[in-house]
Amino acid sequence: MGTQQTVDAVVIGAGFGGIYAMHKLANEQGLTVLGFDRAEGPGGTWYWNRYPGALSDSESYVYQYFFDKELYQDTTWENTYLTQPEILSYLEGVVDRFDLRRHFRFGLGIAASNYDDAANQWVLTTDEGDTIRATYVVNAVGLLAAVNMPDIPGRDSFEGQLVHTARWPEGLDVTGQRVAVIGTGSTGQQVVTALGPQVSKLGVFVRTPQYSVPVGLRPMAEGEVEQYHEDFEMNREKIFGSALGFGIDEVERSLWDYSEEEREQIFTDAWNEGGGFRFMFSTFGNLAVDEDANLIAGKFIKDRIREIVKDPEAARRIMPSGLHARRPLCDNGFYETFNLPQVEAVNVTDTPIVEITATGIRTADGTHREYDVIVFATGFDAVDGNYRRMDLTGRNGVHINEVWKENPTSYLGVTTPGFPNWFMVLGPKGPFCNLPSAIEAEVEWISDAIAHARQNGIAMIEPTAEAEQKWSEHCSDLATGSVFGRVDSWIFGANIPGKKPSVLFYLGGLSAMKDLLDQEAQAGYPNLMPVQSSADMERDQPSLAAAS
Ligand code: NA7
C-alpha cells in the first residue's frame, strides 16, 4: 500500500517548463507543490539527450530564460551555440539558484493522473504506487521526449550495444568501434558528424534525406557576451516580439522580386552566417508558403551538397528531394563527414533494412554489415506522445486517448476541456518556435490563471469546448497555407507508424501566441469556465470573466 499526500499542485517534468513552473507556483505563489521526473536530476530533454554532438540550434543568447535579468546577466556562453552539457549545467544552476530541488522527486515518474469528480481533485499515482491528491496539475512532460524505437525485425537479438540517442548511456565511448546510425534528422546529423572522425567504421542509414545548412558554431568574439548581457531588454523584446523567437531577422521580401544572382548572394550570406531557421526565414519571406520559391532554396542546398561530398554516389544517397519543409536543420559539418573513408551512407529507400542480426544489419540487397554499436536516432512520438502513454483521465473518467481520438487538441496549447485545473506546457497546438521562449510565455499564463482563480474563489477552471474548437480550426487554417503541412514529419505526427497525422502546432508564431494568451488573461479569462463540480458542467456556466 503506497503513501498518500495532498498538495496544492503537482508539476510533472523538470526540464525548462517544469523548473519554471515550480518557481512560479512554489516560490512566487507560495503553493505546496510536488514535482516529479523519471530522470535522476533536472534538465528534461537535456538530461536525456547525452549523445555525442548534442547541440541546441537556437543561439546561446536566445536559448535562455528571460524572466530574470540577473540570471541572464550572470550566465556566460563560450560559443554561439550551446552543447548538451552546457545546457544541463545551466538548468541545474537555475534549480539551485531558486532553491527548487527540494520540491522535486527525481527518479520517479507519474504513471496515472485521474480526475476525481466527487472530490474535485486530481489523483496522481507514481511509478511506485504512491498517490498524491492535488488541485492543480502542470504537465511539463516534453514535446520531444516519448522515444520512438522502431521495431525493426531482429532488433532485440543484436549482441552489441543498441542505444537510442535520447537514452545515450553516460560515459558510453564508441571511439574506434564499428557503429551504425539509423536516422538522419536533427539528432542523426549531429551524432553522425560527431562520431564520423572517432570511429573505425560508420554506417549511416538514411531513409528520407533532409536539407541542412551550416549551423555557424564559433567561439564568442571578445565583448560579445557582455553586449548580449547589456542588451537584455532588447533581446527579450526581439525574441518575444517575433514569430520564431530565434533572434533572427524575419523578412517579408519575396524571392520573386530578386534576380537569380541576388538570390544566390542572399542564400550564400545566410549559408555562411549559419542557422537553419535563418536560412529559411531571414532570406525570403515566402519560402514557407510558396512551393516554387521553396524549391529554389532547396536547389541551392543541393548544389552545396554536390560541391561538398566528393563521391557522387555518396552524395546521391544523402541528397534531399522535394520541398524543404521539415523542421529546418543545420549542422556542424554533416555533409563533410561523408568524405571520410570510414563513413558509408546506406540509403534504406534503395536497400531497405531487412533485419538486425546478432552482429549487424542486413539490407534487402543481401549485404550484411557488422557493427559493435547500433544507434537509433529515430526521433520521438512528438507533442502528444507522453500524454497518451499515461493513464490519464479527466472528468467522468474519460481517457485522453478518447478525447484526442480524432486529433490532439487544446485551447491555446495549454488547456483542454474536460480536464479541469490541468495545464500543459507545450501541449498540442502550441507555437512552433524557439521552445524555451514558448515555455516561458505559457508557464506565466498558467501561473496567472491559477492565481486569478484562487483570488476569485473559483475551485476549478477549464476552457469551453467552443473556444477549443475555434482554436483547432484556426490552427488547421494556418497549417493549410504552409509548406510544412505538405510533407511527412514529426511536426504533423507523421513519423510514427499507426499514428494519425494531424495539426500539432500553431503556426501563427510566438508573438501572436503570446498576444492571444495576454488578451485572454487581461479580459479575465472569458474562454475559461469555473467548475465547482461535474454536475455544474451540465448547467450553463458563466465564464471566469463574469465570475470575477
Ligand atoms: P526526427 O527528426 O524525427 O528524425 C528521425 C530519423 O529517423 C529520420 O531520419 C527518420 O527517417 C529515421 N527513422 C525513423 N524510423 C526509421 C526506421 N524504421 N528506419 C529507418 N529510419 C527511420 O528525430 P530527431 O531526433 O532527429 O529530431 C527530432 C527533433 O528533436 C528535432 O527536430 C529537434 O527539434 C529536436 P524518415 O524521415 O522518417 O524517413
Side-chain angles (χ1 to χ4, degrees):
M1 177 77 185
T3 61
Q4 292 196 12
Q5 206 175 342
T6 301
V7 291
D8 292 324
V10 165
V11 171
I12 311 176
F16 265 97
I19 292 170
Y20 189 35
M22 184 60 81
H23 175 57
K24 293 295 284 182
L25 299 183
N27 290 348
E28 291 190 2
Q29 292 201 44
L31 304 185
T32 53
V33 193
L34 267 181
F36 292 88
D37 200 303
R38 288 202 174 98
E40 295 295 339
T45 289
W46 300 102
Y47 174 93
W48 293 110
N49 284 270
R50 292 168 189 243
Y51 61 86
L55 185 85
S56 162
D57 65 359
S58 301
E59 286 178 66
S60 304
Y61 80 99
V62 166
Y63 205 75
Q64 301 289 317
Y65 288 119
F66 278 85
F67 68 84
D68 187 299
K69 184 173 175 176
E70 279 181 20
L71 166 66
Y72 188 83
Q73 294 184 330
D74 287 348
T75 308
T76 191
W77 314 292
E78 264 183 51
N79 300 304
T80 44
Y81 293 87
L82 299 166
T83 61
Q84 174 270 333
E86 289 173 311
I87 304 171
L88 181 58
S89 145
Y90 167 72
L91 290 173
E92 287 169 345
V94 172
V95 165
D96 291 332
R97 183 181 184 110
F98 295 102
D99 194 19
L100 298 171
R101 212 171 273 268
R102 64 203 163 99
H103 302 294
F104 279 105
R105 304 281 179 276
F106 292 113
L108 187 57
I110 294 293
S113 294
N114 308 111
Y115 185 64
D116 177 346
D117 293 84
N120 278 332
Q121 263 181 339
W122 282 94
V123 183
L124 298 106
T125 310
T126 71
D127 293 337
E128 292 174 354
D130 295 332
T131 54
I132 301 105
R133 287 187 165 267
T135 311
Y136 307 99
V137 179
V138 178
N139 295 275
V141 296
L143 182 88
L144 292 152
V147 163
N148 174 38
M149 197 74 196
D151 193 10
I152 297 172
R155 187 189 71 187
D156 300 330
S157 67
F158 184 59
E159 287 172 1
Q161 185 143 16
L162 191 142
V163 293
H164 189 284
T165 44
R167 292 292 179 273
W168 190 273
E170 172 103 68
L172 171 63
D173 182 2
V174 299
T175 307
Q177 302 200 45
R178 299 167 303 171
V179 180
V181 174
I182 301 176
T184 50
S186 174
T187 304
Q189 292 196 350
Q190 291 186 344
V191 80
V192 161
T193 308
L195 294 187
Q198 287 176 18
V199 298
S200 60
K201 166 176 159 180
L202 183 66
V204 182
F205 290 76
V206 187
R207 191 165 69 178
T208 311
Q210 294 202 53
Y211 293 99
S212 183
V213 304
V215 62
L217 178 65
R218 60 166 174 80
M220 286 288 188
E222 207 180 317
E224 198 173 353
V225 173
E226 291 73 15
Q227 192 62 52
Y228 286 130
H229 286 164
E230 200 176 309
D231 294 341
F232 168 77
E233 277 87 6
M234 199 181 80
N235 298 338
R236 190 179 54 189
E237 257 166 58
K238 183 165 187 191
I239 289 162
F240 287 97
S242 68
L244 296 161
F246 280 96
I248 58 172
D249 292 330
E250 296 164 358
V251 300
E252 288 184 6
R253 64 189 177 198
S254 165
L255 175 138
W256 306 119
D257 292 339
Y258 292 79
S259 69
E260 275 186 34
E261 292 71 38
E262 287 167 331
R263 292 173 198 164
E264 196 76 0
Q265 190 57 52
I266 290 168
F267 283 134
T268 302
D269 290 346
W271 175 277
N272 290 337
E273 195 175 356
F277 282 83
R278 181 175 282 115
F279 185 85
M280 187 147 218
F281 294 96
S282 292
T283 49
F284 299 103
N286 54 336
L287 302 187
V289 289
D290 179 330
E291 289 194 10
D292 292 331
N294 181 286
L295 289 170
I296 288 176
K299 179 178 179 305
F300 177 89
I301 298 176
K302 288 197 276 192
D303 289 345
R304 299 292 79 69
I305 298 171
R306 279 186 206 99
E307 280 169 11
I308 296 169
V309 182
K310 303 292 175 234
D311 172 8
E313 176 54 18
R316 187 192 67 76
R317 291 181 185 182
I318 60 170
M319 191 64 70
S321 61
L323 291 171
H324 177 16
R326 288 180 161 206
R327 178 204 193 282
L329 299 187
C330 50
D331 65 84
N332 196 27
F334 174 68
Y335 296 124
E336 287 81 350
T337 307
F338 293 92
N339 292 331
L340 297 172
Q342 68 273 31
V343 178
E344 178 196 16
V346 183
N347 186 304
V348 302
T349 303
D350 294 347
T351 49
I353 296 175
V354 176
E355 61 169 343
I356 293 178
T357 67
T359 55
I361 297 177
R362 192 183 315 281
T363 44
D365 57 356
T367 310
H368 182 263
R369 295 170 176 85
E370 298 213 331
Y371 298 108
D372 306 306
V373 180
I374 299 178
V375 178
F376 276 58
T378 44
F380 305 92
D381 183 355
V383 186
D384 54 322
N386 260 349
Y387 295 96
R388 294 186 185 280
R389 290 177 185 197
M390 243 189 274
D391 169 16
L392 172 55
T393 56
R395 279 191 291 105
N396 303 317
V398 179
H399 198 278
I400 195 76
N401 285 337
E402 190 56 33
V403 181
W404 287 352
K405 197 163 58 189
E406 290 310 311
N407 68 79
T409 53
S410 77
Y411 174 55
L412 299 177
V414 285
T415 60
T416 197
F419 291 73
N421 285 5
W422 184 88
F423 301 96
M424 298 176 284
V425 181
L426 302 183
K429 298 183 166 62
F432 184 70
C433 64
N434 176 45
L435 294 180
S437 310
I439 286 169
E440 203 163 318
E442 293 187 355
V443 167
E444 284 169 6
W445 187 90
I446 292 167
S447 174
D448 289 348
I450 290 174
H452 177 89
R454 290 174 72 80
Q455 278 153 19
N456 289 285
I458 296 155
M460 311 298 290
I461 48 173
E462 65 173 72
T464 63
E466 191 194 359
E468 183 186 62
Q469 195 187 335
K470 274 195 188 150
W471 182 246
S472 264
E473 285 165 7
H474 182 47
C475 291
S476 295
D477 289 347
L478 290 172
T480 307
S482 161
V483 292
F484 285 91
R486 293 172 215 163
V487 300
D488 287 347
S489 77
W490 64 260
I491 302 174
F492 285 82
N495 63 325
I496 303 293
K499 181 168 175 167
K500 194 171 168 184
S502 62
V503 175
L504 292 178
F505 285 94
Y506 165 68
L507 297 181
L510 174 65
S511 73
M513 181 78 203
K514 190 162 163 31
D515 286 350
L516 289 166
L517 290 169
D518 288 348
Q519 282 164 24
E520 177 73 25
Q522 280 154 17
Y525 306 94
N527 293 296
L528 297 191
M529 291 184 299
V531 184
Q532 300 309 328
S533 68
S534 280
D536 287 352
M537 297 307 299
E538 311 305 323
R539 298 190 287 272
D540 280 349
Q541 281 293 303
S543 72
L544 263 193
S548 56

